[in-house]
């Protein structure tokens, strides 16, 4: 492997790792943040009278996780193309 290839793959790895860390921080904030703010969120009622804290814990976190999957896939396609390692 040439030094140029090594540099390109290392750049790809750094970009991938940076994206993964950012998305994991969002994941931790959503999953732990909703629980930490539960008392404050329970003041608000939505739809059929459920407390907002319950809704965020039961639905909002899972929806956020699915969105993070699509964000990761889209950004990784862009990163792969930038570093020339796409299929």
């Amino acid at each position: 492997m040439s030094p140029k290839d090594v540099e390109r793959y290392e750049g790809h790895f750094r970009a991938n790792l940076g994206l993964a860390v950012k998305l994991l921080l969002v994941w931790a904030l959503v999953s732990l943040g909703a629980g930490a703010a539960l008392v404050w969120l329970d003041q608000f009622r939505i739809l059929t009278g459920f407390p907002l804290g319950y809704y965020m814990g039961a639905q909002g976190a899972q929806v956020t996780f699915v969105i993070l999957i699509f964000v990761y896939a889209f950004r990784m396609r862009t990163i792969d193309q930038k570093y020339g390692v796409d299929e």
Side-chain angles (χ1 to χ4, degrees), residues 3-73:
K4 187 175 182 178
D5 287 338
V6 171
E7 182 179 324
R8 183 174 52 143
Y9 287 126
E10 286 177 356
H12 179 265
F13 179 75
R14 281 191 303 273
N16 183 13
L17 187 61
L19 175 63
V21 167
K22 290 173 191 171
L23 294 179
L24 281 172
L25 287 173
V26 171
W27 170 76
L29 180 66
V30 168
S31 61
L32 299 175
L38 191 62
V39 175
W40 179 75
L41 289 174
D42 281 342
Q43 298 175 40
F44 306 102
R45 303 281 177 195
I46 61 163
L47 301 175
T48 59
F50 284 107
L52 182 59
Y54 172 80
Y55 178 77
M56 287 300 292
Q59 300 296 325
Q62 288 83 359
V63 170
T64 302
F65 300 152
V66 170
I67 291 170
L68 288 177
I69 291 169
F70 285 106
V71 168
Y72 179 77

